[in-house]
Amino acid sequence: MDKEKIAYHIREILVTLGEDPDREGLRETPERVARMYEEMFRGIAYTNAEIAEKYAKTFDEEDMCTAKQGNFVVVSDIPIFSFCEHHMALMYNMKVSVIYRPVDKIIGLSKIARIAEMVSHRLQLQERIGTDIAEIMTLSTGSNDVGVLIEGEHSCMTARGIKKPGAKTITTAFKGAFESNDSLRREALLLLGKLE
Ligand SMILES: [Zn+2]
């Protein structure tokens, strides 16, 4: 990422807003923002396939006593934040829950959290964070039966425009049997805590 170029353009934005970029509080802001962007948007440099490769340290199923064929693995409430691609505004208080049905490989639970973090460090839509995670889960585990449920708040909705503080957006991305089989999807939503 070209941090110098980003800093240059942030400075231009400050000038255009009518600010004095040389005043005390702003003097180092362009460089600070550039460093923050480097961290916040580091997922842009990787494709889903590359992320799958990076985190696909999978175990053979016999090593894991928890994952019998046909059982589900559920990871709930992974905290993430992201930036919406329409406003470059913060999406916050986000929680990602993932369910999948292992075929022959399972993936370390901490790796699922890393995958969620990596795809959220891009300019995103909440829906696409879900489909990206589902795709990477399939690539790294070989299982097509994956569900992702995300809830979150979008500052472009809560702090500007229609200003609805507390408004939560919930999105789901179901693949494979979770998409085609209504009762499996219902069971997934139960396990993900979204149905009574
Ligand atoms: Zn937005």
Side-chain angles (χ1 to χ4, degrees), residues 94-130:
M94 301 186 97
K95 287 187 288 186
V96 173
S97 298
V98 177
I99 183 169
Y100 74 107
R101 192 155 64 161
V103 183
D104 46 22
K105 287 190 287 185
I106 75 150
I107 182 167
L109 301 187
S110 66
K111 298 296 191 304
I112 298 177
R114 298 300 205 108
I115 289 168
E117 186 180 86
M118 204 58 163
V119 304
S120 63
H121 281 61
R122 294 169 171 167
L123 286 172
Q124 273 290 15
L125 301 168
Q126 185 172 313
E127 296 84 340
R128 197 173 57 223
I129 295 175

Side-chain angles (χ1 to χ4, degrees), residues 4-75:
E4 262 174 47
K5 199 164 180 181
I6 290 171
Y8 168 82
H9 287 290
I10 294 293
R11 192 187 153 89
E12 291 298 297
I13 288 172
L14 289 171
V15 171
T16 311
L17 287 171
E19 269 291 358
D20 169 12
D22 295 315
R23 74 174 167 84
E24 174 92 47
L26 291 180
R27 212 173 295 149
E28 288 168 37
T29 296
E31 285 73 26
R32 238 183 258 123
V33 172
R35 284 197 298 277
M36 186 178 80
Y37 276 13
E38 184 179 48
E39 188 186 333
M40 298 297 116
F41 297 126
R42 66 181 191 277
I44 294 174
Y46 300 96
T47 64
N48 285 350
E50 284 165 345
I51 294 173
E53 180 122 331
K54 200 172 157 76
Y55 294 125
K57 288 266 185 300
T58 47
F59 308 91
D60 287 332
E61 207 191 335
E62 42 270 11
D63 298 337
M64 304 297 294
C65 46
T66 51
K68 292 203 191 72
Q69 184 121 14
N71 284 6
F72 299 122
V73 177
V74 179
V75 186

Side-chain angles (χ1 to χ4, degrees), residues 84-89 91 154-157 160:
C84 90
E85 67 182 13
H86 296 140
H87 303 89
M88 295 180 75
M91 300 191 280
H154 301 184
S155 62
C156 56
M157 260 174 72
R160 60 157 291 286

